[in-house]
């Protein structure tokens, strides 16, 4: 179900009863003005529903393909769609006549003539409720909406799955990158230790310098072990999401690789587009439409129900074997009227309950829409600030790398103390880890931004 925000709000504003006092503006004009400031041409040129392709990472693309095919949560959601589709077909079938074949045979004895009689009959019966007041039609409409809600829920599972796969992959790449940084810093610490030991052997420095260097080296190695542990945890998270095995994943997921990044310039969507795309909003809309239809079906219980019936067949009153050759033709046609007269408030209670459910569905839709817009706004702010932090940390890391190299050279020449060298190396190591973390965080926040916008390639569903 793909309706724009304007059509959804039109449905809401057209409601009576429980919806009469509902807010008429969604979202706030201030938020809408802020979003509408992005040029539409720029947006349409850059937005790709398969947003993970913006990272230009073939490994991530392959992981998404396998997740779509193998994830267990997604397969459960597909099974629920099949269930909802079957229930919808059953509700539609109630609009058409029901035809049943009948056959019977009986044996009896008359009291007066004391004779045995064998009777047989065969025929067909048909019954049909004339849906004059729309009860069955509204019930079928509710089943249609339930099916649409199930499809939207499946789309929500797909969107969450794509975000989780991207997050696990980005975290794996982050921890592998940080492990590489830790390895490089371990080599640098080993070189500093070599210099400290040489200076101690020459008597130009104390044992304290050697011990401080050893302490720094052990700390770096311990951090590398922790990062390897985190990388394994992310890798096994991918194993679960893809419903695969570590051996199969290893064939797709190499240990080495660059940390993926992408630019979000021009991906901003208007509030109308966000509301039309987000699966949770589409679910809430479908639930609301189902509640409206069920309320109308409950209202139809107050009116008469007319059922038409007919029968056509053959009956034999003496021998069952003569049914087809000598049986008499029998037929009937009739109509039944069922009208509520006195039910002591049962129908009124049903209508009142349907009113309450419709109001709940309306408020749930509004809450979902407002929450979605708030989440998009927050994700956008976080992404923007994360990009600023990444830029500053990258610049700080470059300066720290030059300072550490200069400190090691001056220490080897005896112009600087070991404490200053260790401080420069610790600063560099910390900044390198933070810069890698900030780069990954920007990508993770971009994934979250895409998720809050509801971007996902559509999947065709059979009618």
């Amino acid at each position: 179900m793909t309706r724009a925000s304007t059509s959804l709000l039109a449905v809401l504003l057209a409601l009576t009863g429980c919806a009469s006092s509902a807010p008429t503006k969604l979202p706030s004009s201030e938020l809408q003005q802020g979003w509408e400031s992005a040029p539409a041409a720029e947006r349409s040129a850059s937005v790709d529903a398969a947003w993970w392709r913006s990272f230009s990472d073939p490994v991530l693309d392959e992981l998404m393909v396998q997740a779509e095919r193998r994830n267990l949560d997604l397969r459960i959601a597909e099974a629920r769609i099949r269930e909802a589709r079957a229930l919808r077909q059953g509700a539609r079938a109630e609009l058409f006549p029901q035809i049943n074949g009948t056959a019977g045979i009986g044996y009896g004895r008359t009291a007066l003539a004391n004779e045995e009689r064998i009777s047989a009959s065969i025929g067909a019966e048909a019954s049909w409720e004339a849906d004059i007041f729309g009860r069955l039609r509204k019930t079928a409409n509710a089943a249609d909406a339930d099916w649409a809600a199930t499809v939207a829920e499946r789309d929500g599972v797909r969107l969450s799955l794509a975000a989780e796969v991207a997050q696990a992959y980005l975290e794996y790449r982050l921890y592998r990158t940080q492990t590489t940084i830790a390895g490089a810093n371990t080599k640098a610490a080993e070189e500093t230790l070599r210099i400290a030991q040489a200076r101690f052997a020459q008597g130009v420095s104390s044992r304290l310098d050697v011990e401080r260097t050893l302490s720094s080296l052990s700390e770096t190695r311990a951090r590398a072990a922790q990062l390897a542990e985190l990388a394994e945890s992310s890798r096994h998270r991918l194993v679960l999401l893809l419903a695969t095995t570590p051996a199969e994943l290893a064939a797709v997921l190499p240990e080495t690789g660059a940390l993926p990044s992408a630019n979000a310039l021009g991906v901003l969507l208007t509030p109308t587009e966000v509301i039309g795309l987000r699966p949770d909003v589409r679910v809430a809309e479908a639930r609301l439409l189902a509640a409206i239809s069920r309320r109308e079906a409950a209202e139809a219980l107050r009116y008469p129900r007319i059922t038409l019936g007919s029968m056509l067949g053959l009956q034999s009153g003496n021998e069952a074997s003569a049914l087809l050759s000598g049986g008499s033709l029998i037929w009937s046609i009739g109509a039944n009227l069922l009208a509520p007269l006195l039910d002591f408030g049962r129908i009124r209670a049903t209508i009142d309950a349907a009113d309450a459910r419709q109001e709940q569905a309306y408020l749930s839709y509004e809450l979902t829409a407002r929450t979605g817009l708030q989440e998009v706004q927050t994700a956008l702010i976080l992404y923007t600030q994360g990009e600023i932090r990444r830029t500053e940390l990258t610049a700080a890391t470059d300066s720290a790398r030059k300072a550490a190299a200069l400190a090691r050279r001056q220490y080897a020449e005896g112009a600087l103390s070991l404490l200053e060298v260790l401080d420069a190396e610790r600063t560099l190591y910390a900044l390198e880890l933070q810069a890698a973390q900030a780069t990954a965080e920007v990508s993770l926040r971009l994934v979250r931004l895409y998720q809050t916008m509801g971007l996902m390639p559509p999947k065709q569903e059979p009618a």
Side-chain angles (χ1 to χ4, degrees), residues 5 19 25 47 71 125 137 155 262 313 322 330 439:
S5 173
K25 292 182 68 176
V47 175
N71 180 260
E125 296 178 349
R137 185 172 62 256
D155 291 343
I330 57 174
T439 300

Side-chain angles (χ1 to χ4, degrees), residues 341-349:
L341 297 179
L342 183 62
D343 67 353
F344 300 96
R346 291 182 181 86
I347 294 178
R348 183 69 259 173

Side-chain angles (χ1 to χ4, degrees), residues 3 269 272-280 282 453-455:
R3 296 180 175 88
L269 301 175
T272 297
E273 292 168 317
V274 169
I275 291 180
L277 289 174
R278 280 181 63 108
D280 57 345
R282 290 162 48 210
M453 288 179 176
L455 287 176

Side-chain angles (χ1 to χ4, degrees), residues 8 12 49 54 63 105 139 146 161 185 191-192 199 274 286 302 320 330 353 390 399 407 422 430 433 437 441 453:
L8 305 187
L12 297 180
S54 63
L63 292 177
I105 186 170
T139 301
D146 286 339
L161 172 62
N185 277 272
E191 177 62 19
T192 303
R199 288 173 60 82
V274 169
R302 303 171 62 179
I330 57 174
R390 183 196 65 79
S399 297
L422 294 178
L433 293 179
Q437 177 72 44
E441 192 66 31
M453 288 179 176

Side-chain angles (χ1 to χ4, degrees), residues 93-108:
E94 293 292 331
L95 295 168
F96 302 96
Q98 181 174 347
I99 302 175
N100 298 314
T102 63
I105 186 170
Y107 170 82

